[in-house]
Amino acid sequence: MIEKFKFRGREMFLLRDDLLGEFNGNKARKLEYFLNSDLKGIKRIVSHGSSQSNAMYSLSVFAKMRGLEFCFVVSHLNSNLQEKPVGNFKFALQNGMKIFVAQDRRSLAKELASQDDAFFIEEGVAMAEAEFGFKTQAMQIEKWCEKNSIRPDIFLPSGTGTSAAYLAKNSNLRVFTCPCVGDVKFLQDEIFALDKNSKVQILNPPKKYHFGDLKLELYKIWREILDETGVEFELIYDPVGFLTLFSNLDAFSGDILYIHQGGILGNISQKMRYERKFKGEL
Ligand SMILES: *Cc1c(COP(=O)(O)O)cnc(C)c1O
């Protein structure tokens, strides 16, 4: 579903992938391939990443739906979270996720997935199978564009760059993104690893952010968007996305289509982190 969206006086369009269902956002797009596959003989899926990741939660939903065991490896788990699970972590545990801790989390995940009845999923589902769902997404966007006779530039913030890379590969619209993990160079390398001819255009955030950084300006723009538009965005990627978008408006040729990539369940724990750090200032 694409709707009109106006923020700070700028009209845009918004693809509401956050409303796709229990399973939503770009993680639903990434898992579309697996949802449509019979996974013959597979009893367990194994992945790794951070203890509050949106991918972890989505995989837990998928595993539960399909009656699979789900093992997830993190490199550390703080004692607060262990004693009082919240957010994505809490809901993933409720879905039956088994959690493992290992410094080299990818190696342990690979090991846990080494049997024939197990399947390894890269961090953030950054793998070739993810492309399938973005073909569908690109088609849906193009249909809408034809019907409405517009050709917007697309913008979406990136982690691994998988969503941006595979959407751009399958769309004839221009796709822009920005890094929320690492810098432009790092993201460019990740994207080229998925598609060596990628046309994705990477914009520089107004300043360097580390993944999950607690910065007042990030919280403030998230809050401002919520108050002004009534749409709740994700609190890690989208604030960096909107700050980047608004500091690079001259890069766009006309209409902008922003993709809401879901993930707002993760806001519970991120909001708690902000409240702990800034207390009265928020
Ligand atoms: C996972 C996620 C991203 C990053 O997606 P990539 O395909 O890894 O670039 C961006 N936004 C939200 C809300 C996410 O959950």
Side-chain angles (χ1 to χ4, degrees), residues 135-182:
K135 287 189 181 165
T136 312
Q137 188 190 51
M139 241 162 47
Q140 289 169 344
I141 293 172
E142 254 140 65
K143 251 198 197 145
W144 177 87
C145 288
E146 262 170 42
K147 210 172 112 200
N148 294 278
S149 306
I150 58 166
R151 288 188 58 78
D153 288 331
I154 298 175
F155 181 87
L156 68 166
S158 278
T160 64
T162 310
S163 306
Y166 287 143
L167 173 60
K169 190 177 166 195
N170 291 285
S171 174
N172 50 35
L173 298 168
R174 299 201 301 167
V175 174
F176 293 81
T177 190
C178 68
C180 303
V181 181

Side-chain angles (χ1 to χ4, degrees), residues 26-27 30 54 124 157-164 234 237-238 261-263:
N26 63 350
K27 305 307 180 295
K30 289 176 177 187
N54 296 331
S158 278
T160 64
T162 310
S163 306
E234 204 262 359
Y237 297 94
D238 289 311
Q261 302 185 91

Side-chain angles (χ1 to χ4, degrees), residues 26-27 30 122-128 130-131 134 137 155-170 175-196 198-202 211 237 259 261:
N26 63 350
K27 305 307 180 295
K30 289 176 177 187
E122 288 288 358
E123 175 172 15
V125 203
M127 56 208 289
E131 181 173 357
F134 294 97
Q137 188 190 51
F155 181 87
L156 68 166
S158 278
T160 64
T162 310
S163 306
Y166 287 143
L167 173 60
K169 190 177 166 195
N170 291 285
V175 174
F176 293 81
T177 190
C178 68
C180 303
V181 181
D183 57 12
V184 167
K185 166 90 176 55
F186 177 80
L187 179 60
Q188 188 64 262
D189 290 346
E190 299 266 292
I191 288 176
F192 282 148
L194 295 164
D195 174 13
K196 63 181 184 343
S198 186
K199 309 166 300 230
V200 174
Q201 300 189 47
I202 304 177
F211 185 66
Y237 297 94
I259 301 184
Q261 302 185 91

